[in-house]
Amino acid sequence: MSKAVPQPVTQLIDAFSRLPGVGPKTASRLTYYLLRAPDEVSQSLADALADLKTHTRFCSVCHNITENDPCGICSDSNRDTSQIVVVEEPLDVLAVERTGAFNGLYHVLHGAISPVEGVGPEDLKIRELVQRVENGNTLEVIIATNPGMEGDATAMYLQRQLAAAGVKITRLARGLPTGGDLEYVDSVTLMRALQGRHEM
Amino acid sequence: MRIEHLSLHNFRNYARLEASLPSGPILLYGANAQGKTSLLEAIYYLATSRSPYTTSDRQLINWNVERDMFAFTKIGAEVVSANQVMNRVEVTLTAGTDGLNGAHLQKNIRINGVARRVMDLIGQITVVMFLPQDLALVEGPPAERRRYMNITLCQTDVVYCQALNTFEKVLSQRNALLKRIAENEASPDQLDYWDDQLITSGAILMAGRQRLLRELEVKARRVHHDVSGGDEDLELQYRPGFAATASSSSGQLSFNVLGLDLNRQLNADTIAEQFRDRLTGIQGEEITRGMTLIGPQRDELRLMVNGHDLGLYGSRGQARTSVMSLKLAELEWMHDTIGEWPILLLDEVVAELDAKRRAFLLERINNANQVVLTTTEPDIFTPDFLAHTARWHIHQGQIISTSD
């Protein structure tokens, strides 16, 4: 960055370009937009950023990101406490919520087992899940980790850890996308769908 | 199988090429560095989605456009199969907006205009390629021979290809985990999942390789017998990577020792059982050393002539002839496996053979529907061969004259 650009500007550009999906060009565009925009725009952005960390925390029950502890879902008395969906990331909770088909509780692991990236079971919220299941009135744990190698490794590990708790353990089905065309489905997916077929 | 039309955009030194290819042999001639080999490379890339010469796809992009904002290269072909079905395959490599520095290339594959995955590309075009570097199959490190088996099998067997993909990922995860266990950062009970995956995918690889080599050996032996006038007996010896441990000094403990008979076709389940036994037995050592010690990543293939290991005792000429026998066997094997002749690509190898072997090779390759050869010296070919061969003069990334 040349000396023609004032230091507060370069500072913001640098900060933006550290964000995922933002390159140096987008970072400059955002910065110069904020320079020209009314003061309120940058002020509200600054407030939002400041609140982001100070007013959020992890729910002590499900480890999702929340404003109040326990979170809105965990403290909702209308939800079915006998079922827990286990997901890798907070965004996965939103995905399941969007279906509107689940009224139980969640547990966010914050990752999946991947030795290459140095992530082992102890780095995830697995111990917390086991405790929660052992001490609560859970009847079913639905494992909804991603259908890849790391997600599968995590699922298998969870199954072992929860075996002693005596609850039903299920895994999300994998198979054909709705509205898809059979002839365009790749063979691995089709094979899985065949293995996971169910009686009508 | 043959390619009817080939089109290149910004590929190597071709800014733009649209060429209709006749069936039969096509001889590309011209001085060095004019683009003869690049044309073979383009066809090979469409078949396997990788280059035989470089591991970096970036090098495939024409250097004139390399600094462009949206640098891209496109390879496309119309392929006609034995039953006269025509398919259009196309691979596009696009660099990110910041040019070729930093960002990785995006690979897009279209088959008949529909976006597909790399896995779907495999099998659309099948090729057998024969290069001077293939001498490494005899003289080079074992990795070269495993690569050879992988490429040959991947072109014809989707299950193998998927297993290979899984195996490579599992292997690096498992190695990382073993290292963590060795450093007391993880517990051994976490190995179970990776063991299962390693065994399942690894057994598919070993079964596939054993089948390939058994079938290939029958053909290679016959070809080699013919070319050597009955003097030499060529053998392909598969040595599964079960035994290359610190404790077995010979490194040759084979399936036989494990109670498996290599002279019989083994299925993946039988191999998996043995693999699991061995893996269980060696767990302690694997943890101490922090890495996976047995499996197809340690497989070896040895070429033997009259009972002697060619890599250790063979002459240059013997090695060259054996590789030629292997390649001709591969051509036949592909034909038997996929039910039609693959496209044969020969890069400069003809010049390296003596007159007798050259005549032998040129006679045998006539089987294929389409053969693309490169040479700097068209004079070494007999008038007979040239009479039924299309000759293209390649100069600075262009076909400047054709005689069909």
Side-chain angles (χ1 to χ4, degrees):
Chain A
M1 211 60 67
S2 82
K3 280 189 183 136
V5 186
Q7 213 250 331
V9 176
T10 53
Q11 209 179 330
L12 187 58
I13 292 176
D14 284 349
F16 274 135
S17 52
R18 252 175 271 146
L19 301 177
V22 180
K25 263 190 183 162
T26 310
S28 318
R29 202 178 304 138
L30 291 174
T31 307
Y32 281 95
Y33 167 79
L34 287 173
L35 267 177
R36 274 188 233 103
D39 289 357
E40 304 91 77
V41 176
S42 47
Q43 192 51 54
S44 66
L45 179 66
D47 292 345
L49 285 175
D51 286 354
L52 184 63
K53 282 292 194 175
T54 50
H55 290 121
T56 58
R57 66 191 84 179
F58 292 116
C59 170
S60 58
V61 182
C62 70
H63 301 277
N64 197 0
I65 291 161
T66 176
E67 198 176 350
N68 306 308
D69 186 20
C71 73
I73 292 175
C74 291
S75 56
D76 184 347
S77 58
N78 289 324
R79 298 198 69 122
D80 177 359
T81 56
S82 71
Q83 286 183 323
I84 298 178
V85 161
V86 182
V87 294
E88 290 180 17
E89 300 294 342
L91 278 175
D92 298 336
V93 172
L94 289 183
V96 179
E97 277 297 283
R98 244 181 275 128
T99 65
F102 179 68
N103 193 40
L105 302 177
Y106 293 93
H107 191 90
V108 183
L109 295 172
H110 292 279
I113 295 175
S114 173
V116 166
E117 286 158 50
V119 181
E122 64 286 349
D123 301 312
L124 307 174
K125 304 289 176 197
I126 291 180
R127 214 176 310 114
E128 291 81 348
L129 175 66
V130 175
Q131 269 170 14
R132 196 177 156 193
V133 170
E134 278 169 355
N135 303 332
N137 57 349
T138 312
L139 298 176
E140 181 180 6
V141 175
I142 304 164
I143 302 176
T145 52
N146 288 331
M149 205 173 275
E150 289 77 19
D152 284 348
T154 312
M156 186 170 156
Y157 188 83
L158 284 177
Q159 188 212 335
R160 297 263 176 95
Q161 298 300 307
L162 291 168
V167 295
K168 187 170 159 189
I169 302 167
T170 55
R171 177 106 164 88
L172 284 195
R174 43 173 87 176
L176 303 173
T178 306
D181 216 334
L182 203 61
E183 68 167 310
Y184 291 122
V185 171
D186 66 278
S187 48
V188 179
T189 306
L190 193 53
M191 212 168 69
R192 292 279 191 178
L194 256 173
Q195 288 165 351
R197 70 186 184 278
H198 57 85
E199 215 170 293
M200 297 177 62
Chain B
M1 177 180 297
R2 66 189 184 86
I3 291 181
E4 205 162 66
H5 189 89
L6 182 71
S7 79
L8 305 178
H9 278 73
N10 303 332
F11 181 80
R12 295 276 189 188
N13 64 339
Y14 290 91
R16 183 83 204 249
L17 178 85
E18 296 291 337
S20 294
L21 278 67
S23 44
I26 305 167
L27 181 64
L28 310 177
Y29 67 97
N32 284 320
Q34 302 301 313
K36 301 188 298 295
T37 299
S38 302
L39 224 141
L40 297 191
E41 186 181 26
I43 296 174
Y44 187 92
Y45 195 91
L46 278 179
T48 62
S49 90
R50 59 179 83 178
S51 161
Y53 302 104
T54 169
T55 49
S56 156
D57 283 345
R58 186 155 301 194
Q59 288 177 23
L60 304 177
I61 298 187
N62 187 315
W63 55 267
N64 279 325
V65 298
E66 216 176 312
R67 303 263 167 268
D68 287 9
M69 185 83 157
F70 292 99
F72 78 103
T73 185
K74 190 153 96 183
I75 318 168
E78 288 169 9
V79 200
V80 181
S81 64
N83 49 12
Q84 299 305 315
V85 177
M86 202 266 276
N87 282 307
R88 213 151 27 85
V89 287
E90 194 180 276
V91 178
T92 314
L93 299 171
T94 319
T97 45
D98 49 347
L100 279 171
N101 313 316
H104 74 292
L105 290 179
Q106 202 185 342
K107 191 186 287 192
N108 289 301
I109 288 158
R110 282 176 182 274
I111 297 171
N112 295 323
V114 181
R116 289 301 176 90
R117 301 174 318 152
V118 176
M119 214 54 106
D120 301 315
L121 184 70
I122 286 162
Q124 292 291 326
I125 302 180
T126 31
V127 295
V128 170
M129 192 174 205
F130 187 9
L131 319 167
Q133 297 92 299
D134 285 334
L135 213 54
L137 283 175
V138 173
E139 296 172 346
E144 292 281 345
R145 288 177 285 280
R146 288 192 290 269
R147 204 173 77 96
Y148 168 72
M149 294 191 277
N150 286 343
I151 287 171
T152 310
L153 281 160
C154 265
Q155 284 198 64
T156 56
D157 187 347
V158 181
V159 175
Y160 183 93
C161 216
Q162 278 159 353
L164 181 64
N165 208 339
T166 310
F167 180 82
E168 282 169 354
K169 284 188 206 143
V170 173
L171 186 63
S172 61
Q173 289 282 16
R174 191 171 184 275
N175 282 340
L177 181 56
L178 283 165
K179 201 153 174 271
R180 284 169 62 89
I181 297 172
E183 288 161 0
N184 274 325
E185 285 172 23
S187 75
D189 63 346
Q190 289 171 34
L191 275 170
D192 291 358
Y193 172 81
W194 306 108
D195 283 0
D196 287 350
Q197 298 291 313
L198 190 83
I199 290 163
T200 318
S201 58
I204 293 173
L205 298 190
M206 289 192 271
R209 288 170 181 180
Q210 197 226 357
R211 175 176 52 84
L212 168 74
L213 295 177
R214 272 167 61 86
E215 293 171 359
L216 215 49
E217 186 184 51
V218 177
K219 298 176 192 301
R221 193 173 247 165
R222 200 167 47 224
V223 177
H224 200 76
H225 189 268
D226 291 351
V227 71
S228 68
D231 287 343
E232 291 186 356
D233 184 42
L234 178 68
E235 214 184 314
L236 304 180
Q237 219 174 68
Y238 177 45
R239 296 181 188 164
F242 264 13
T245 66
S247 49
S248 68
S249 53
S250 75
Q252 279 198 27
L253 196 71
S254 75
F255 273 160
N256 295 331
V257 180
L258 300 162
L260 293 175
D261 182 5
L262 263 192
N263 294 316
R264 187 169 62 79
Q265 182 56 58
L266 300 166
N267 65 26
D269 293 343
T270 319
I271 294 174
E273 236 171 83
Q274 301 291 330
F275 195 3
R276 185 178 292 280
D277 278 358
R278 291 281 294 146
L279 211 55
T280 313
I282 204 171
Q283 200 189 61
E285 198 177 339
E286 284 197 322
I287 290 171
T288 318
R289 308 240 325 243
M291 66 183 293
T292 304
L293 295 174
I294 58 170
Q297 78 283 7
R298 298 272 182 117
D299 273 4
E300 174 62 301
L301 150 68
R302 301 303 300 177
L303 279 79
M304 318 280 284
V305 164
N306 295 339
H308 296 295
D309 192 315
L310 207 53
L312 302 175
Y313 307 108
S315 72
R316 248 313 159 81
Q318 258 183 333
R320 212 162 258 155
T321 314
S322 304
V323 172
M324 181 177 94
S325 301
L326 187 63
K327 286 288 165 178
L328 287 170
E330 186 188 333
L331 184 67
E332 240 184 83
W333 181 83
M334 284 269 187
H335 171 262
D336 292 358
T337 309
I338 62 170
E340 60 179 309
W341 289 105
I343 295 164
L344 182 60
L345 307 170
L346 298 176
D347 190 17
E348 292 289 349
V349 282
V350 178
E352 295 208 329
L353 299 167
D354 61 30
K356 186 183 132 207
R357 289 183 176 80
R358 191 180 299 157
F360 183 87
L361 177 68
L362 293 179
E363 187 211 305
R364 293 282 168 127
I365 63 172
N366 270 331
N367 284 331
N369 303 116
Q370 201 168 43
V371 186
V372 190
L373 310 92
T374 69
T375 188
T376 45
E377 316 160 73
D379 302 341
I380 60 167
F381 293 88
T382 60
D384 246 15
F385 178 81
L386 293 175
H388 68 271
T389 301
R391 294 186 303 266
W392 291 7
H393 188 182
I394 309 285
H395 184 68
Q396 293 183 351
Q398 280 178 330
I399 303 167
I400 55 170
S401 73
T402 61
S403 63
D404 297 338

